[in-house]
């Protein structure tokens, strides 16, 4: 039985990799298992591999569950299927915003410092940081997060196919278009630039607010931010909304590189990009 506002979501994330010629071997890491957190509970999760492979699991430095596996025999393709059942809850009230001085002291003396500085993916020019500071002048941390997120969303249109996984935050700003990964990187870069720790969240977003029960719908992997203002607070700058019961968290890190859903190496000739599908079914 679920309480009002709670959702129970079945998620099927499938990644298919086809090689131009059979790969002699491959070594893989998968980050596709949703976390259990105060706002969500993972009731069931499994990762299956074809061709069949022995898997092992561990928690990485950032607190994400990783599934590893090796394929040591030649294989023409690879299919990874991550299935999960997750119960999600509406977000609670935002914590009281700390004073900027207290926040800076907390950052300097804790692991928050890891989320306060730029990475190669979240480096932007100084004039752009100054623009964010102007937008946030006189605001508290919660208001700052909203103002900076709005600044980015007003500038960068969500337009699939205009960027790649290697696009930087600065490039997304210049071309005024990108996907959720770009918008998230850019928002993180500017939040860190104005003194607010921020981290990258990788997960899933159910595409329908009023989803019909037991009807599968095509969804997507998604990215959004969490910023620190007395506690970690989730916000989705792509959709201009707080992270809520439609969002499912898989991992958090400094940027995409810390939470890449599938990474690995293989021995063979170059192949095409993977084919990725995500299917949601609301079951309660």
């Amino acid at each position: 039985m679920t309480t009002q506002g709670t959702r129970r979501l079945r998620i099927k994330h499938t990644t298919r990799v086809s090689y131009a010629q059979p790969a002699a071997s491959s070594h893989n890491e998968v980050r596709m298992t949703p976390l259990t957190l105060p706002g969500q509970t993972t009731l069931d999760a499994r990762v299956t591999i074809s061709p069949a492979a022995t898997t092992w699991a561990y928690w990485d430095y950032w607190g994400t569950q990783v599934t590893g596996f090796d394929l040591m025999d030649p294989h023409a393709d690879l299919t990874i299927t991550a299935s999960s059942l997750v119960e999600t809850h509406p977000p609670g009230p935002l914590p009281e915003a700390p004073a900027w001085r207290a926040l800076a002291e907390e950052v300097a003396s804790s692991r928050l410092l890891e989320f306060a500085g730029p990475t190669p993916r979240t480096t932007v020019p100084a004039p752009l940081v100054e623009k964010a500071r102007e937008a946030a002048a006189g605001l508290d941390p919660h208001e700052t997060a909203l103002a900076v997120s709005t600044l980015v969303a007003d500038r960068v249109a969500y337009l699939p196919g205009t960027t790649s996984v290697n696009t930087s935050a600065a490039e997304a700003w210049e071309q005024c278009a990108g996907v959720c990964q770009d918008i998230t990187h850019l928002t993180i870069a500017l939040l860190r630039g104005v003194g607010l720790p921020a981290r990258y969240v990788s997960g899933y977003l159910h595409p329908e607010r009023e989803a019909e029960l037991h009807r599968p719908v095509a969804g997507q992997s998604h990215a959004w931010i969490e910023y620190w203002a007395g506690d970690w607070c989730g916000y989705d700058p792509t959709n201009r909304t707080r992270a809520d019961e439609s969002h499912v968290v898989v991992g958090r890190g400094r940027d995409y590189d810390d939470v890449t859903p599938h990474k690995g190496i293989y021995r063979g000739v170059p192949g095409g990009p993977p084919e990725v599908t995500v299917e949601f079914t609301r079951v309660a």
Side-chain angles (χ1 to χ4, degrees), residues 128 131 135 145-158 172-173 175-178 183 186-187 190 235-240:
L128 186 49
K131 189 182 293 287
L146 182 58
V148 171
S149 295
T150 300
L151 176 69
V152 173
D154 286 347
R155 167 79 179 197
V156 182
Y158 178 77
W173 177 270
Q175 64 190 43
C176 301
I183 294 169
L186 187 51
T187 305
L190 296 183
Y235 189 80
D236 183 346
T238 303
N239 293 294
R240 303 177 188 247

Side-chain angles (χ1 to χ4, degrees), residues 247-269:
H247 294 74
V248 177
V249 178
V250 170
R252 298 122 151 185
R254 295 162 299 178
D255 59 28
Y256 173 82
D257 290 337
D258 290 335
V259 291
T260 307
H262 173 221
K263 66 172 65 172
I265 57 174
Y266 68 92
R267 188 157 59 94
V269 301

Side-chain angles (χ1 to χ4, degrees), residues 62-254:
W62 306 105
T64 305
Q65 184 170 329
V66 183
T67 300
F69 63 94
D70 297 331
L71 290 169
M72 303 308 295
D73 295 324
H75 49 288
D77 48 45
L78 166 64
T79 300
I80 304 166
T81 305
S83 304
S84 56
L85 179 64
V86 185
E87 190 167 277
T88 61
H89 311 280
L94 292 171
E96 182 178 352
W100 284 105
R101 182 183 295 274
L103 190 151
E105 292 173 353
E106 178 74 11
V107 170
S109 61
S110 71
R111 279 191 62 186
L112 290 173
L113 191 61
E114 295 178 312
F115 301 104
T119 65
R121 287 186 178 272
T122 60
T123 297
V124 293
L128 186 49
V129 174
E130 185 57 35
K131 189 182 293 287
R133 288 175 179 156
E134 292 171 1
L139 303 180
D140 71 23
H142 292 306
E143 295 167 338
T144 292
L146 182 58
V148 171
S149 295
T150 300
L151 176 69
V152 173
D154 286 347
R155 167 79 179 197
V156 182
Y158 178 77
L159 197 60
T162 56
T163 57
S164 72
V165 294
N166 296 316
T167 300
S168 69
E171 289 169 337
W173 177 270
E174 287 302 320
Q175 64 190 43
C176 301
V179 294
C180 58
Q181 173 183 306
D182 306 304
I183 294 169
T184 298
H185 278 149
L186 187 51
T187 305
I188 287 172
L190 296 183
L191 289 177
R192 292 173 181 170
V194 302
L196 196 58
R199 62 188 182 185
Y200 185 104
V201 185
S202 173
Y204 304 108
L205 173 64
H206 195 296
E208 296 182 6
R209 283 284 166 187
E210 303 299 327
E212 180 182 340
L213 291 178
H214 307 297
R215 180 175 65 86
V217 297
Q220 59 184 335
S221 296
H222 195 52
W224 60 98
I225 69 161
E226 288 178 350
Y227 65 91
W228 177 267
D231 199 354
W232 287 109
C233 306
Y235 189 80
D236 183 346
T238 303
N239 293 294
R240 303 177 188 247
T241 183
R242 288 185 68 191
D244 59 18
E245 64 273 18
S246 295
H247 294 74
V248 177
V249 178
V250 170
R252 298 122 151 185
R254 295 162 299 178

